[in-house]
Amino acid sequence: MQDQVQPTLKVRQIVSGPNHRTYYDPKKMAELEEGLRAAGKVTQPIQVRPHPTREGVWEIIAGERRWRAARKVFGEDYDMPVVVSEASDAEVRALGIIENHYRDNPSDIEQARGAAELLQFNRDDKDETAKQLGWGVETLERRLLLLNCASEVQEALIERRIKLGHAELLAGLPKDRQVKVLAGVLEHRVPVEVLKKQLGQFAKRLADAIFDTAQCASCPHNSAQQAALFDETIGDGFCQHPTHFDELTMLALELRATPLREQYHVVRIVRAVDAFVPLLVGPDGELGVGAEQYGDCKSCASFGCSLSAIPGSYGRLEESLCFDAQCHSTKVADRRRAERAAARTAQADAAPEAGSGGTKKAPAKAAAPAAPKRASNTTPPRVAQYRTERWRTWVARGLMADAPSSHRVLTALITSSNLQSFTPLKFTEAVGKIAKPAKFGINGFKGALELADAIDAAKLPTIVQAVAACAAYGVNQGDLDVLLNYLEVDEARHFKLGAEYLELLTVSELESLADELKLRKAMGDAAFKKARAGTKAKFIEALLNIEGFAYAGAVPKALRYQRRKLRIAAGAEPAAADPAAGADAAEPALASA
């Protein structure tokens, strides 16, 4: 049996992936390089994936130490053995942390950096992140806490000049103080237990508080009280009851967060153990998503802001943030691909025409830059619920207005065993409106049959239509989508832009909607900015009262369903039946079924 050929890539075709490791022990790297020279080759392949934004380039998932050593020993043209995998950004980060842990145990800081990146790609789900890494949530939080260390403390831990305990203690201090304390720890080789006592059990500076500290003046936990009595204290102006300090801080932050929840879907209060790194989303720059996509991002459920509950930055507000790193990465990659395509088009237009003696071909029309692909956003739950409720109502109206379609839908519900989606309460309400029976609502089959028998026969076809219409309120989302397309529901016939819908939206969503529906343009920049700066209620009022704006047909794309081509074959017309034989024909048909 022929051996399978090991895939290889040139070392120069491979680049570093999202590796959290920054420190490579020189002694261990030298040992690895010596081993490669002795073997004359790399014996174990590294794991790579196609680079998400660069064509012809592969990104390392696991094995960067081997790649670095091979590049130094064998050069850029060495054929590196590889295993090519299709892995998501989150999987790449998890694999990298696990690989490094078992190959050459990195420092706790490097693990923390990798875990923080993975947490972003898991949308801040600590349980899922800890599970992927094989850690407990407590271990994850301890690692993340380290990222609050000053850069000097982080480097000292990476280079093993201090222990993990030192770094954990220093992480609770403002960064400028961390650096000063670190210098003393290194100079005097202070043990962890001694440092813990010296720091006064993580005392908090009252000058950093964002709550009213007047209540702290007579508090026994105020270090000023001890300073008046003892020679040895941790200094004036510290709270030595950090738990109470944190409680008061969180209360103050919640008060600040309340008005922000009208502005953004996500208002995140960030604690030290979260190792939060703001992911700024905007139209331009290295991580820009493009102007149009940025407008869409403002209406996404993952768009928001953060408030800091971290010592040294209490109350700091970060706005225009994305809380879905995977989605953000995709949008940035789409923008870059569109820009490269536009550049290639422009270059092709500017190139000399073949056989023209080197003269440039004059394009008939300047090529328009390619627009980046606009990725779909996560619809906020309240908008999604509103949309589904409206879709069900529109389908029900459509079925009540189209008898043949309602009969066909009812047939499909029964033959697909989907009649459990029928909603009795809705149907009872519909029968009451259609037939208006004198004693409608008697329980039990016999009583209901007596009432049904008393209904005017002319109203029975409409009541049968109501069976299918009421089922629209109970079908699953997929079947609702089918019904919308089957009936070719026109949203503009049913929806009118009004306060009921706009009040569901945050201010950032209203701004995005104003751009989408051209409300901002109709209002004018000056008037729009003035309305935007006011309260949400006044902003909505201004958006709904634009003189001369054609509101008819202005349906937000969040309320539009995706058009699909249904593969419904038109069947042959049934043969005409003998009316006299109708009842006799029905019985054997039911019996045979």
Side-chain angles (χ1 to χ4, degrees), residues 186-392:
L186 294 173
E187 181 180 356
H188 301 291
R189 298 183 180 181
V190 177
V192 173
E193 286 301 318
V194 173
L195 177 63
K196 185 175 181 180
K197 292 178 181 178
Q198 289 177 342
L199 293 180
Q201 301 294 319
F202 305 100
K204 301 292 179 76
R205 293 200 317 173
L206 290 174
D208 294 334
I210 58 172
F211 53 84
D212 185 359
T213 57
Q215 59 190 303
C216 304
S218 59
C219 177
H221 298 292
N222 188 335
S223 62
Q225 302 294 320
Q226 282 76 32
L229 299 173
F230 305 106
D231 293 332
E232 298 292 334
T233 69
I234 63 171
D236 196 2
F238 286 88
C239 172
Q240 297 181 100
H241 191 332
T243 303
H244 184 54
F245 183 98
D246 290 342
E247 288 173 356
L248 293 174
T249 298
M250 292 304 291
L251 286 173
L253 288 173
E254 283 294 341
L255 287 174
R256 294 190 184 188
T258 298
L260 289 170
R261 292 194 172 100
E262 282 199 344
Q263 300 275 334
Y264 298 105
H265 272 293
V266 183
V267 179
R268 176 88 181 274
I269 296 178
V270 181
R271 302 169 303 150
V273 295
D274 294 333
F276 178 72
V277 179
L279 182 56
L280 185 68
V281 58
D284 307 312
E286 182 65 20
L287 296 179
V289 297
E292 286 192 79
Q293 181 60 63
Y294 179 57
D296 289 348
C297 287
K298 292 178 183 177
S299 63
C300 180
S302 299
F303 185 77
C305 67
S306 67
L307 280 170
S308 175
I310 299 173
S313 63
Y314 289 122
R316 179 185 298 163
L317 174 65
E318 297 276 0
E319 297 183 272
S320 194
L321 304 183
C322 175
F323 288 86
D324 187 342
Q326 181 69 62
C327 182
H328 181 266
S329 176
T330 300
K331 291 171 182 175
V332 173
D334 287 341
R335 177 188 63 80
R336 290 176 179 173
R337 274 193 290 270
E339 289 176 351
R340 286 198 302 271
R344 285 195 295 268
T345 301
Q347 186 177 10
D349 288 343
E353 183 179 7
S356 63
T359 59
K360 291 186 178 181
K361 178 182 177 182
K365 187 178 180 181
K373 178 183 176 184
R374 295 172 74 178
S376 60
N377 295 313
T378 304
T379 303
R382 56 180 176 269
V383 175
Q385 180 181 352
Y386 176 90
R387 176 179 64 194
T388 300
E389 290 171 355
R390 294 306 170 277
W391 284 353
R392 294 187 187 282

Side-chain angles (χ1 to χ4, degrees), residues 432-456:
K433 291 180 179 179
I434 296 167
K436 296 183 174 59
K439 297 181 180 179
F440 189 72
I442 292 179
N443 293 326
F445 176 72
K446 181 176 179 293
L449 183 58
E450 289 173 349
L451 288 175
D453 187 60
I455 292 174
D456 184 350

